[in-house]
Amino acid sequence: MNKISIALCTYNGAKFLQQQLESILDQTRLPDELVVGDDCSRDETPDIVKNFAARAPFPVHLQTNPQNLGSTKNFEQTILRCSGDIIFLSDQDDIWLPLKIEKTASILEEKKEVGFVFTDAALVDENLEPLDINLWEISFTKEEQTAALAGQMLEVLLHRNVVTGATMAFRRKFCQSLLPLPVHVPNVIHDAWIALVIAAQAEAEFINEPLIKYRQHSGQQLGIDWRQAREQSENDEDRTVAYTKSINFYRTELKRLLTLLEVLSKTTVFFPHRLIIDATLKETLKETEEIVAHYEARVGLPASRVQRAAPIFNEVLSGRYHRFSRGWASAAKDLFGDL
């Protein structure tokens, strides 16, 4: 049986950390060690970890960084200190369901060709009340799952990250190839990079079942915009704000894709996949540029309905209303609605 490590990173996490630790203690298969990297917390976080270590039935190794590193570099240092064959990543504010370690580790132990495993998650609010939506309804579409099952996980990950670190476990043997974790690629943090690097070397598998409660709260560094997923972005009262937000997001995506194209071209593990990487990223770049152009056209429509007709007609002819909005319904709304 493989040795299991959990890499848990903390920063001012006292409000929710105890519940996360208790959920690890409630696992049907306990880890062989818990490795904690604290990023200079100013609250009771280190004391909570120390008190937990005193009663945990497995070793707990706490290290406080001499200076604040940020989440990605904190995870890098914490992963390096893990000695297990399988490394689980953990945030400080979620709840692990009891079968998370057992179900995830069993796949990695039974299927030697699999390099990492990730799962779905149930979204909850800060009081653990269900938000009645699962993570993959937003972050891992049916089309992406189908592509991943067909052996195209690398292509899926190049397009966008679908792997949330708190749901992920991977083989430690890949550490040498994935470290150091880059911090200069926009919208790419530790989980996205780890998934990309391992997908270039091994198979990935996913469990279509929520195995954590993924807490959404105002204090977290990263979360899921589940409200926008439900409400869509064409609400009448904030259309300009919504379109501007989309433009800014996709402009950042353009920077991510261009930077990623450069980084991957210099990273050894990706050399065998050069053709796939080049084709996928350039196709995604082209699509993203079109999305930006579409939203810029919509946000820049003149107040006069007569003057709107030509730019709207051009967008209809380009096909972008149907590809990136709601087709004729959006075109009609732009033409006859109040801007």
Side-chain angles (χ1 to χ4, degrees), residues 18 25 31-32 59 62 81 90 117 124 129 137 156 162 168 195 218 228 237 244-245 276 296 305 318 324 331 336 338:
Q18 189 66 50
L25 205 57
D32 295 284
L62 169 64
R81 291 166 47 226
S90 176
V117 177
V124 297
E129 291 297 322
E137 293 178 52
V156 170
V162 299
M168 180 190 200
S218 59
Q228 183 177 353
E237 67 270 20
T244 302
K245 182 179 178 182
I276 291 174
E296 285 180 337
R305 290 189 174 93
S318 74
F324 307 128
F336 299 110
D338 294 326

Side-chain angles (χ1 to χ4, degrees), residues 38-105:
D38 185 69
D39 208 19
C40 302
S41 291
R42 298 184 301 275
D43 62 5
E44 299 80 21
T45 293
D47 291 333
I48 292 172
V49 175
K50 290 173 185 176
N51 291 335
F52 179 78
R55 62 186 179 88
F58 45 79
V60 178
H61 309 292
L62 169 64
Q63 177 174 295
T64 300
N65 299 327
Q67 61 185 25
N68 186 276
L69 300 177
S71 63
T72 293
K73 285 301 179 182
N74 192 18
F75 266 108
E76 176 181 293
Q77 295 301 312
T78 307
I79 288 168
L80 278 171
R81 291 166 47 226
C82 291
S83 61
D85 306 294
I86 297 171
I87 300 175
F88 282 75
L89 302 180
S90 176
D91 293 338
Q92 63 186 2
D93 48 9
D94 302 318
I95 299 290
W96 286 14
L97 299 181
L99 290 170
K100 173 178 165 65
I101 291 180
E102 181 180 338
K103 286 192 172 184
T104 304

Side-chain angles (χ1 to χ4, degrees), residues 286-287 290 294 318-327:
K286 183 179 179 181
E287 181 181 78
E290 288 203 56
H294 176 63
S318 74
R320 291 194 287 245
Y321 267 112
H322 288 81
R323 291 171 60 198
F324 307 128
S325 294
R326 299 176 184 173

Side-chain angles (χ1 to χ4, degrees), residues 196-208:
L196 260 178
V197 172
I198 300 178
Q201 303 174 76
E203 293 182 15
E205 188 148 326
F206 53 89
I207 301 173
N208 194 358

Side-chain angles (χ1 to χ4, degrees), residues 158 193 196 260-267 270-271 277 281:
L158 287 168
W193 181 253
L196 260 178
L260 201 57
L261 192 59
E262 179 183 358
V263 169
L264 300 191
S265 69
K266 300 175 182 178
T267 307
F270 295 105
F271 289 176
I277 290 169
L281 287 181

Side-chain angles (χ1 to χ4, degrees), residues 23 30 35 69 89 140 145 158 181 194 207 210 242 286 309 312:
S23 75
L30 293 175
V35 182
L69 300 177
L89 302 180
F140 193 27
Q145 292 176 41
L158 287 168
L181 301 178
I194 291 170
I207 301 173
K286 183 179 179 181
I312 290 172

Side-chain angles (χ1 to χ4, degrees), residues 64 90 113 123 231 275 279 302:
T64 300
S90 176
E113 70 278 9
L123 300 191
E231 297 168 3
L275 293 179

Side-chain angles (χ1 to χ4, degrees), residues 1-3 29 85-86 104-117 170-174 198 201-205:
M1 189 173 288
N2 290 154
K3 181 178 180 180
R29 178 174 174 181
D85 306 294
I86 297 171
T104 304
S106 66
I107 293 175
L108 289 164
E109 289 174 334
E110 293 168 9
K111 299 182 179 182
K112 303 306 180 185
E113 70 278 9
V114 174
F116 73 90
V117 177
F170 61 94
R171 298 187 190 278
R172 186 168 66 95
K173 71 177 185 178
F174 293 108
I198 300 178
Q201 303 174 76
E203 293 182 15
E205 188 148 326

